[in-house]
Amino acid sequence: MTSSLLKFKLSAACTLAALFAAGCSTTATLPATDHEQTVIIHAVSAQGVGAEIGTISLHDSAAGLVIRTSLSQLPPGPHGFHIHEKGSCDPAMKDGKAGAALAAGSHYNPNHAPHHGNPLTGHLGDLPLLNVAADGTAKVTLLAPRIKAADVQNLAIMVHAGSDNYSDSPKPLGGGGDRIACGVIQ
């Protein structure tokens, strides 16, 4: 792929992502398929799966997977947001300690990308940041340009406690930290 074609594709994808983040209508530019899937999202902790805190709907478009969130009871600010490789939100043990939703495994990475990255360069499960409003709600539309709904069936979608710098430095996997909300995509 030529450098100018790659720059054009990156520019187009970033423009679409910016439109989604700003809450622009998507019906004219990103027609959905007939099927929209709703995923129930729960708060998670080392003790287990907690209360329902909202939903995320998924549908395919010509530009990729459209992700619409309707969440509440989250800490305000930017959060790491990912598809994880296993369809579970249960706690699991790591280094002798129970951790929230660790049964979901790592980021979805079927192409074996060598590192965590942004939604265009890293793991296929690396999604745009989830920005939560001051009132703890996240009602946003995001785009995952490299995946389709069929790719993520029976996997988990995860909200992390912290932001994501799309790098493995200075902390692994963008520094998002603990898993605080999760849903299984069925």
Side-chain angles (χ1 to χ4, degrees), residues 84-152:
H84 283 250
E85 65 186 347
K86 298 177 184 171
S88 176
C89 294
D90 293 331
M93 299 297 284
K94 181 178 180 182
D95 300 327
K97 183 178 170 186
L102 290 179
S106 298
H107 294 176
Y108 175 60
N109 188 20
N111 296 341
H112 307 289
H115 58 83
H116 174 65
N118 68 50
L120 297 174
T121 64
H123 305 141
L124 287 182
D126 293 338
L127 302 176
L129 284 176
L130 179 67
N131 288 301
V132 177
D135 66 358
T137 62
K139 297 183 185 312
V140 298
T141 300
L142 305 167
L143 178 68
R146 299 184 299 154
I147 56 177
K148 299 201 176 310
D151 299 332
V152 298

Side-chain angles (χ1 to χ4, degrees), residues 34-42 52-60 65-71 149 152-153 155 157 182-186:
D34 292 334
H35 179 70
E36 181 168 281
Q37 180 176 8
T38 300
V39 180
I40 297 172
I41 305 299
H42 293 267
E52 182 179 326
I53 62 165
T55 60
I56 293 175
S57 60
L58 309 170
H59 74 267
D60 289 325
L65 184 66
V66 177
I67 303 166
R68 287 191 177 98
T69 68
S70 181
L71 303 171
V152 298
Q153 293 303 297
L155 305 181
I157 190 162
C182 179
V184 175
I185 305 165
Q186 299 179 346

